[in-house]
Amino acid sequence: MNRSEPSNSNPQKPPLPPEATDEAHTVESFGYTQELRRSISTTDLIIYGLIFMVPIAPWAIFGTVYNEAKGMVPLVYTIGLIAMIFTALSYSQMSRRVPLAGSVFSYVGAGVHPNLGFFAGWVMLLDYLLVPTLLYVFAAESMVGIFPGTERWIWALVFVAINTIVNLAGVNSIKLMNRLFLIMELFFVAAFIVIAVTTLNGGTLPNAEWATTPMWNPSEVTAPLIAAALSIAVLSFLGFDGIATMAEESTGGHRSAGRAMIVSLIVVAVLFITQTWLASLLAGGIDAFPEDKVGNAFFDIVAAASTTGWAKAFLVCNVLAVGIANAMAAQAATSRLLFSMSRDKKLPGFLHQVNKRQVPQNAILVVSGLSAILVVFFVGQIGLISSMVNFGALSGFLLLHFAVIWSYTVRGRSKDWLNHVILPGIGFLIIGYVLMNSDILAKIGGLCWLLVGIIVFIVYRKKGAGISALPAEPQPTPEETTTRQDI
């Protein structure tokens, strides 16, 4: 059996001390057996988070964000970091108490109620199941640009096959690929910085000079612009939360996932801000990119500042980072969420079976199969897929913040108002604002997904109770409150 069950009809899991040693924060302490291989260090988790968020992510959308933000692209990513740090802190709070692969499914199920946990996991599935499809569509579109006349669906299936093989090969293969791709991406980030600094110092591009206006231009900053930037920025950082799905494979203790999420978020934000600031300077202060130049704005800037050869190399790097590295990380995260929900008998049981390399083989194959099918139908529908992904992620984040407040303050009677009320409350309001202003098609699609979830919930409700709730948190002494480490 994958989950230990006492012989009585009302199984009770062993209680988990909320601030105990690593030995108390184990899979077994929640009534499960350790099936996934523990071989991922905190450093590997950070690398995984960076790969999932893609250090070079601004390249593909630079022109779009530049036009929307009146040239203040680095300001957008600064706002995004400030906004998403609240969500990262909430993940940190819950991941150290519930170190399971289910992410928000496990956090909400343990911290609030197993039934609500199912719906938290279900809305996140909308994000995780569609993210690989979105990435394959992105990569396929770019490959057709590099090799005109080729079929998009062929490239998409090639990427699906590569990532499936790597994921089935085990965690060590994922770690190796993550490190190789991170080195590649950081090399090109460094190359761009050198190109940009050399060009700005040499004055070889018209109107390209050092300035701080891309960071903050008082004449252009308005409340509506900041609001629009917030929506763009929050969505640009989706992916750091995938670290939580690898918690059962971490060797760094119960605080490892939370620390890795915060570190990777800050690191990638610095990379985003640096690259977009330099690219905005190289743009020479133009008001907006023409419609037919928006998609390749960044690569055109690289070509103008260096050579066409460099621009093509940057484009190839972008395709590989999205189609293989990012999609590979997304597939790993999705399979772990399916594994966790299946283990709690909320999804078909075959999804939590693992292979000899201790990875959820069937879940990985299901994600690959769905991606292969969906890319055929969603080619050319990048906007629709993106909006659906965003709805799922933001809905899951809302429930995450609620879980922190409810589990620590309402049920646990915590007096740590900053970490357990104020910070998650701010995060809840930010995510709620962005969700309310999301695309109408995303809202309709999300509601349809929830209706399907209700049907699935009814079908599997009698098959298992899910993860047991956490016990109430004992009140810390004044000395513990002043010395407690929250991250």
Side-chain angles (χ1 to χ4, degrees):
M1 295 181 66
N2 294 310
R3 185 175 183 175
S4 57
E5 295 181 1
S7 58
N8 60 41
S9 59
N10 184 25
Q12 297 293 321
K13 307 295 185 303
L16 170 64
E19 293 298 336
T21 62
D22 284 337
E23 286 73 19
H25 291 75
T26 62
V27 175
E28 289 80 5
S29 67
F30 284 89
Y32 302 106
T33 57
Q34 180 71 48
E35 296 180 85
L36 304 179
R37 177 178 297 172
R38 286 198 178 274
S39 60
I40 304 179
S41 66
T42 302
T43 299
D44 287 319
L45 286 177
I46 294 172
I47 293 173
Y48 175 81
L50 292 174
I51 287 294
F52 208 151
M53 286 184 284
V54 191
I56 60 175
W59 294 3
I61 60 173
F62 176 77
T64 301
V65 181
Y66 185 97
N67 289 356
E68 290 286 338
K70 305 294 184 182
M72 292 176 287
V73 185
L75 175 63
V76 168
Y77 288 110
T78 302
I79 293 173
L81 172 62
I82 295 172
M84 291 310 295
I85 200 70
F86 295 103
T87 298
L89 289 171
S90 285
Y91 265 107
S92 178
Q93 291 293 326
M94 294 306 295
S95 66
R96 72 184 190 192
R97 297 189 70 197
V98 189
L100 301 177
S103 186
V104 292
F105 164 70
S106 298
Y107 302 159
V108 178
V112 184
H113 193 278
N115 290 346
L116 187 61
F118 167 81
F119 287 101
W122 186 256
V123 294
M124 286 301 288
L125 270 179
L126 182 61
D127 169 16
Y128 283 4
L129 286 175
L130 288 180
V131 160
T133 301
L134 175 63
L135 298 172
Y136 293 135
V137 171
F138 262 126
E141 291 286 346
S142 298
M143 290 301 290
V144 171
I146 298 173
F147 300 100
T150 55
E151 294 290 340
R152 291 173 174 81
W153 65 271
I154 294 178
W155 288 114
L157 293 183
V158 168
F159 289 132
V160 171
I162 293 172
N163 290 329
T164 301
I165 293 171
V166 173
N167 270 277
L168 289 176
V171 171
N172 287 335
S173 66
I174 296 175
K175 292 193 300 183
L176 175 61
M177 294 293 284
N178 283 344
R179 294 187 180 204
L180 292 176
F181 276 104
L182 183 61
I183 291 171
M184 178 192 72
E185 292 179 46
L186 293 180
F187 169 80
F188 276 93
V189 169
F192 174 68
I193 291 174
V194 171
I195 291 171
V197 171
T198 302
T199 301
L200 290 169
N201 287 337
T204 55
L205 277 182
N207 302 318
E209 56 186 11
W210 295 102
T212 58
T213 49
M215 297 287 190
W216 182 265
N217 187 350
S219 64
E220 295 289 351
V221 173
T222 62
L225 185 143
I226 294 295
L230 178 62
S231 299
I232 297 172
V234 166
L235 304 178
S236 298
F237 287 100
L238 294 184
F240 75 91
D241 53 293
I243 292 174
T245 65
M246 311 298 285
E248 288 186 33
E249 294 155 273
S250 169
T251 61
H254 66 284
R255 297 178 184 271
S256 180
R259 288 170 174 160
M261 279 186 273
I262 293 173
V263 171
S264 63
L265 184 64
I266 293 174
V267 170
V268 85
V270 171
L271 294 174
F272 286 176
I273 293 167
T274 301
Q275 292 175 88
T276 55
W277 176 49
L278 292 173
S280 298
L281 295 177
L282 293 177
I286 63 172
D287 294 331
F289 291 99
E291 189 66 29
D292 61 337
K293 298 289 185 180
V294 168
N296 288 315
F298 180 87
F299 305 104
D300 290 341
I301 287 173
V302 173
S306 55
T307 63
T308 303
W310 267 112
K312 290 182 177 179
F314 273 73
L315 181 59
V316 171
C317 173
N318 184 69
V319 173
L320 294 177
V322 172
I324 297 181
N326 192 3
M328 179 179 60
Q331 187 179 47
T334 308
S335 64
R336 270 61 176 182
L337 179 54
L338 290 174
F339 166 86
S340 186
M341 294 183 71
S342 171
R343 182 176 59 185
D344 274 2
K345 300 180 182 179
K346 300 299 184 183
L347 289 177
F350 75 95
L351 290 173
H352 72 263
Q353 295 178 11
V354 299
N355 64 11
K356 62 182 180 180
R357 297 182 181 276
Q358 294 180 268
V359 294
Q361 173 178 297
N362 291 346
I364 292 170
L365 292 174
V366 166
V367 176
S368 299
L370 286 174
S371 297
I373 294 171
L374 291 174
V375 292
V376 176
F377 292 98
F378 282 104
V379 168
Q381 300 292 326
I382 291 176
L384 177 60
I385 308 176
S386 299
S387 62
M388 296 287 288
V389 166
N390 297 337
F391 182 90
L394 295 174
S395 299
F397 292 167
L398 272 183
L399 291 174
L400 167 72
H401 290 301
F402 175 72
V404 173
I405 297 172
W406 187 269
S407 63
Y408 277 96
T409 306
V410 177
R411 294 181 54 203
R413 300 181 297 279
S414 170
K415 299 303 181 183
D416 187 354
W417 298 104
L418 176 63
N419 289 298
H420 300 153
V421 178
I422 297 175
L423 295 181
I426 294 174
F428 185 93
L429 293 175
I430 291 173
I431 299 301
Y433 172 82
V434 178
L435 187 60
M436 288 178 59
N437 289 277
S438 61
D439 186 81
I440 185 64
L441 290 178
K443 295 176 183 177
I444 295 173
L447 291 176
C448 292
W449 179 252
L450 280 176
L451 290 177
V452 175
I454 292 173
I455 297 173
V456 175
F457 173 77
I458 293 173
V459 170
Y460 286 94
R461 183 177 183 181
K462 296 181 180 180
K463 295 182 179 295
I467 184 175
S468 60
L470 290 171
E473 180 177 9
Q475 292 299 298
T477 64
E479 292 77 12
E480 291 173 331
T481 301
T482 57
T483 59
R484 181 174 169 182
Q485 298 294 318
D486 287 309
I487 296 176

